[in-house]
Amino acid sequence: MDKNLKYSTNWYVNPEKEEVWLNRKSQQGWALERMWLGGLVCRFRHCSPGEYEYKIEFSQYQKRSQQWQDYQAFLSEMEIQCFYRCMGIEYLRKKADGIPFQLYTDHISNLLHYQRKARVFTFIFIEMILVFLLCLVAAILLLFGGGNRIALLWSTCTGLVSLCCGLWYLQVLIFYWKKITILRKSLDNSKEVLEEQDKPNRSPFLWFCVLANVIGAISGALVFGFFFW
Amino acid sequence: MSESIGRGALTEAVYYILLSLVTPLHGYGIMQKASEMSHGRVVLGAGTLYGAINTLLEKKWIQAVPGKEGTRKKEYVLTDQGYRVLKGELERLRELLENGEKVLGE
């Protein structure tokens, strides 16, 4: 079979592991060709073992902005191609040429890169814990207030799922915080470093999270209100 | 010398980027030249290099120049201010080297 479909098991959970997975597939002779649903479903095609190398980047530029286009043009000079982007997360690919595929090779740019990733996962972690706390309050009110059983079951299940997701994201965050701590300690506290860190460094993925939260909060309140009253 | 007062040392990456841009060069060329001059020791990742070039453009230590005809590659070159910064850094490194050799007697 020339092509096969796989589901990404590290989809939006652990970009480091996903990178390792994509590069291991490439070593086994399977090159990532196309993705759907934000990267959840991946299609691979046959290639020679190790033909391509992959990196996942949390972009600091809005898509179609001049800065993003300049960055893509710059990457294409190095024969690096961004072949998929969704919600600010980019999948980059380069043909293996004996030179290790590294995007960030000094402490400052590595620090900013890990801070971008940590910021996104911190947001998601806080969101999961908030949902868990809301569901906990709702479940207590429903249990002692004699509310609808379906609503109680909904709150309990949603709360447990949110707690599990939150704890899962926490272990990813701990990994990034450790990296950030090591990089901060190894950097001199020079004015130049502080200037670098003052630059806007937000991933566009955060805007999607804010929008998803607003929509989720409104729908959750409507559903909760329907069941509770 | 006055360029280095209050500025601190340049990182190796920035030093080699400035050194590579004494003559106009594009991004990939900077990467190759820095690696060549440092015998493979200083490796500039694409993300690091892009960030550094933008910072140096903002500081006006380098400027963009139109690329050669027929290519879409942007090229960069050192400005007068960048040249003074590089000379200042060289003086600082020379002082470090001289004092080190004096004390260690090599």
Side-chain angles (χ1 to χ4, degrees):
Chain A
M1 193 168 35
D2 204 36
K3 298 189 180 186
N4 78 39
L5 277 177
K6 288 277 181 203
Y7 293 99
S8 165
T9 53
N10 288 301
W11 183 66
Y12 291 133
V13 172
N14 196 325
E16 320 298 316
K17 284 191 177 167
E18 188 161 2
E19 241 176 52
V20 167
W21 176 65
L22 291 175
N23 286 307
R24 191 167 58 232
K25 292 286 288 182
S26 176
Q27 289 295 330
Q28 291 166 356
W30 290 101
L32 178 59
E33 180 185 53
R34 228 192 125 171
M35 308 177 82
W36 292 272
L37 300 178
L40 176 60
V41 182
C42 310
R43 187 172 73 193
F44 293 83
R45 63 165 174 80
H46 260 306
C47 67
S48 48
E51 187 178 346
Y52 290 100
E53 291 174 297
Y54 297 90
K55 277 280 176 201
I56 297 174
E57 167 145 50
F58 280 44
S59 181
Q60 45 188 315
Y61 308 116
Q62 297 289 340
K63 200 175 181 181
R64 292 186 208 98
S65 66
Q66 188 57 47
Q67 288 168 310
W68 185 73
Q69 288 178 16
D70 287 345
Y71 186 46
Q72 297 311 305
F74 187 83
L75 289 179
S76 67
E77 283 182 34
M78 325 282 168
E79 290 170 19
I80 298 169
Q81 180 203 1
C82 170
F83 66 96
Y84 186 75
R85 173 176 165 136
C86 185
M87 297 185 289
I89 297 175
E90 295 177 345
Y91 288 74
L92 306 175
R93 170 176 64 196
K94 185 180 93 119
K95 274 208 167 181
D97 55 4
I99 302 167
F101 185 5
Q102 293 173 282
L103 283 175
Y104 302 106
T105 47
D106 75 351
H107 289 331
I108 297 170
S109 52
N110 249 323
L111 175 67
L112 294 175
H113 156 238
Y114 282 121
Q115 281 179 335
R116 276 200 296 280
K117 286 179 169 172
R119 201 171 282 127
V120 171
F121 285 108
T122 303
F123 192 94
I124 298 175
F125 167 69
I126 291 171
E127 180 190 336
M128 292 291 154
I129 297 303
L130 277 176
V131 169
F132 163 69
L133 290 173
L134 280 170
C135 290
L136 183 67
V137 166
I140 291 169
L141 285 174
L142 286 164
L143 192 62
F144 295 106
N148 190 303
R149 290 289 171 203
I150 296 172
L152 176 61
L153 186 63
W154 169 280
S155 296
T156 311
C157 293
T158 309
L160 284 172
V161 166
S162 303
L163 181 64
C164 294
C165 291
L167 291 174
W168 184 265
Y169 280 112
L170 183 62
Q171 54 98 20
V172 176
L173 265 177
I174 289 171
F175 169 80
Y176 286 131
W177 285 335
K178 279 184 182 170
K179 291 268 185 188
I180 288 167
T181 308
I182 291 168
L183 285 166
R184 277 184 180 274
K185 279 184 186 167
S186 67
L187 280 166
D188 290 332
N189 206 11
S190 69
K191 188 168 171 252
E192 188 163 338
V193 169
L194 292 174
E195 276 174 5
E196 288 287 342
Q197 292 177 355
D198 283 342
K199 283 187 190 166
N201 189 29
R202 292 182 195 92
S203 166
F205 183 73
L206 278 177
W207 297 114
F208 171 81
C209 284
V210 169
L211 187 63
N213 266 316
V214 168
I215 294 170
I218 293 170
S219 348
L222 285 170
V223 169
F224 183 74
F226 175 74
F227 277 117
F228 192 71
W229 283 287
Chain B
M1 185 63 187
S2 58
E3 287 288 349
S4 64
I5 292 173
R7 181 177 41 78
L10 297 181
T11 60
E12 279 195 333
V14 169
Y15 178 75
Y16 275 112
I17 292 169
L18 292 176
L19 211 55
S20 308
L21 293 178
V22 171
T23 50
L25 202 54
H26 50 75
Y28 189 55
I30 299 170
M31 205 184 262
Q32 287 182 311
K33 202 162 182 183
S35 179
E36 200 184 291
M37 283 195 282
S38 64
H39 306 289
R41 195 175 54 77
V42 173
V43 172
L44 296 172
T48 297
L49 183 55
Y50 185 73
I53 285 175
N54 281 331
T55 304
L56 296 175
L57 283 168
E58 277 171 33
K59 290 184 173 178
K60 299 192 188 342
W61 291 0
I62 64 174
Q63 63 187 6
V65 292
K68 294 189 176 57
E69 271 187 45
T71 73
R72 286 169 50 192
K73 291 182 180 177
K74 245 188 206 169
E75 290 193 341
Y76 306 93
V77 76
L78 215 54
T79 57
D80 290 340
Q81 187 182 348
Y83 186 78
R84 286 196 299 274
V85 166
L86 195 54
K87 289 286 276 182
E89 179 66 8
L90 197 54
E91 283 172 30
R92 190 189 71 82
L93 291 169
R94 199 171 277 136
E95 180 202 306
L96 289 171
L97 180 63
E98 282 169 7
N99 284 318
E101 285 176 338
K102 209 186 292 177
V103 169
L104 296 176
E106 284 174 19

